Amino acid sequence: MAVGTDQLRRDNVAAVLRSLRADGPATRAELAVRTGLAKATVGAIVADLEGAEAVAEGAARAGARGRPGRPVELRGRRHLGLGLELNVDYVAAVVLDLAGEVVQVETRAATPSDREQRLLELARGCLHAHPDARWAGVSLAVPGLVRSDERTVAWAPNLGLDDVDVAARVEAGLAGTAAARCAVRVANDANCASLAELHHGAAAGVSHALYLTGTVGIGAGIVVGGELMRGAAGFAGEVGHIPVGDPEAPCGCGRRGCWEAQIGLAALVPEHLGSADSADPSDPSGSAAADDRSPLALAEDLAAQAAGDPSAAQRLTRLGSDLGLGLTILAGVLDPHVVVLGGYFVPLLDHVLPTARAVLDERLGSRAQVRPELRGSVLGVHAAALGAAEQSLDRLLLDGDLAS
């Protein structure tokens, strides 16, 4: 078979898979209409997909005129994608099947000295838990700038990474596993979380949205016209280090006056995570981690504390104000319909949203500008890993590559 013909066939397979994933089950005739492919072509593709255990035909539809069609639907559990997240104080993994169903979710606390090892242990555990799977890919989300090769972390100050081929490290750690043949892809955590929100969460059906992470670091994923905006070098969304707020507040990146230094978790609960001023210089995370609880657990404790402690309540009001100020700038530039707040912001929504909304309402320049709706993520701390898992399925959904 000629290379051109083979590529065309893979493109057609991908079109059928994407149609089933985006729009749900359909008969072969309906798939032909959806994709614009000939019925005979769709029939041959469906037969091959059945042989690869990627789809199955359901029972004939009752009440249909003529020969009743049998809806084809994705059969997800044979083909899986693995999404990972490496963050300052935790690692996470999500296994996603071809139909978009979450098969497994794991999160572990981590420290600067053991987080890469914990990540690899978590990844290997997920792979071993599904011995019969065909792994479509492995993707890793990190809080930092990722080069266009989708392997090299160009700058991740909270992880102490600077021009490091993190993908190679993960591939070496997965040698000998069922996913050893998969080239690991690396992506920014906020971009991954945005993909998760588009497919599974608070931004579903929204064409213009902004996702804001909430961990030790702060980043954003930008959705324009239903597509993730990556920018000229793929670095769009690095909002944590814009100069908003107290110009003297120290940041984990080594500078002062970053927005992250005002609204990041280390600024909010320095007694647990340490401040940038008091950090151990040998600690590459930029903070002196002293608490192994997750960002969500720390935020939940602070929310409970604010109910009876005026100083804690005042801290959250200030957080809402600083959050609203930065969102005003981003909303003025990007004009999103929706802003999704993720990570540790979620347990604090009742405390910070009223103030953030008031600042947005007051500071946006014109009454004609639409105030974006502020929503909390519903995906939990594993949103970035879930988005990475979505990305790991690209080889099937974009390339139609069903090779085992």
Side-chain angles (χ1 to χ4, degrees):
M1 182 181 291
V3 173
T5 303
D6 183 59
Q7 182 61 55
L8 177 61
R9 179 163 184 79
R10 290 203 308 271
D11 289 344
N12 291 341
V13 169
V16 170
L17 289 173
R18 289 196 304 272
S19 176
L20 292 172
R21 179 73 186 276
D23 301 315
T27 65
R28 299 184 185 206
E30 290 167 342
L31 282 171
V33 173
R34 283 186 190 177
T35 61
L37 300 173
K39 290 182 181 179
T41 299
V42 170
I45 289 172
V46 169
D48 286 348
L49 291 175
E50 284 183 307
E53 300 181 77
V55 303
E57 285 190 305
R61 290 173 176 169
R65 292 184 177 180
R67 184 178 179 181
R70 299 173 61 195
V72 178
E73 59 185 359
L74 290 174
R75 186 178 185 179
R77 294 302 172 95
R78 178 64 163 161
H79 298 270
L80 302 179
L82 177 61
L84 305 170
E85 180 184 6
L86 177 67
N87 217 304
V88 175
D89 50 5
Y90 71 93
V91 295
V94 172
V95 176
L96 194 69
D97 72 18
L98 184 58
E101 295 296 322
V102 175
V103 177
Q104 185 176 356
V105 178
E106 301 284 346
T107 305
R108 299 282 186 274
T111 67
S113 63
D114 70 3
R115 56 191 169 213
E116 288 194 29
Q117 182 60 34
R118 289 203 173 198
L119 178 77
L120 293 174
E121 291 172 355
L122 197 58
R124 288 194 294 265
C126 290
L127 294 170
H128 292 324
H130 307 281
D132 297 326
R134 296 178 182 177
W135 293 94
V138 178
S139 292
L140 171 66
V142 298
L145 302 181
V146 179
R147 295 200 182 279
S148 58
D149 62 3
E150 297 184 313
R151 298 182 59 84
T152 307
V153 177
W155 185 62
N158 290 320
L159 295 179
L161 298 176
D162 188 356
D163 260 336
V164 176
D165 187 344
V166 176
R169 291 184 182 181
V170 176
E171 287 169 354
L174 298 184
T177 70
R181 65 178 180 78
C182 299
V184 174
R185 299 169 62 188
V186 183
N188 173 265
D189 63 338
N191 284 345
C192 287
S194 297
L195 288 176
E197 295 292 347
L198 279 174
H199 288 281
H200 302 271
V206 177
S207 57
H208 298 275
L210 175 71
Y211 175 88
L212 196 69
T213 62
T215 60
V216 172
I218 299 295
I222 305 165
V223 176
V224 177
E227 299 289 337
L228 191 63
M229 187 182 81
R230 301 183 185 275
F235 295 165
E238 191 63 23
V239 302
H241 302 286
I242 59 176
V244 177
D246 180 0
E248 295 303 315
C251 181
C253 72
R255 294 173 293 182
R256 293 178 180 269
C258 297
W259 194 29
E260 181 175 299
Q262 295 290 108
I263 68 170
L265 186 63
L268 189 65
V269 286
E271 65 271 23
H272 292 286
L273 293 174
S275 66
D277 274 343
S278 63
D280 181 348
S282 66
D283 178 359
S285 72
S287 64
D291 195 317
D292 63 1
R293 284 176 293 169
S294 71
L296 286 178
L298 288 170
E300 288 166 357
D301 287 350
L302 184 57
Q305 183 183 357
D309 183 346
S311 65
Q314 184 178 16
R315 193 187 307 179
L316 293 183
T317 298
R318 186 170 64 250
L319 172 65
S321 179
D322 292 334
L323 175 63
L325 182 62
L327 289 179
T328 300
I329 297 171
L330 296 176
V333 173
L334 300 172
D335 190 27
H337 292 136
V338 169
V339 174
V340 180
L341 302 174
Y344 90 82
F345 289 119
V346 175
L348 304 176
L349 291 178
D350 290 343
H351 298 274
V352 302
L353 284 193
T355 305
R357 287 187 178 118
V359 171
L360 263 173
D361 193 55
E362 176 187 355
R363 297 300 295 268
L364 275 177
S366 169
R367 297 302 306 173
Q369 289 177 279
V370 176
R371 272 60 180 165
E373 181 183 350
L374 306 185
R375 300 178 182 173
S377 171
V378 296
L379 299 178
V381 74
H382 63 275
L386 176 57
E390 282 285 353
Q391 185 185 71
S392 72
L393 292 169
D394 280 355
R395 189 168 60 86
L396 290 181
L397 296 175
L398 297 179
D399 299 336
D401 185 355
L402 285 166
S404 59

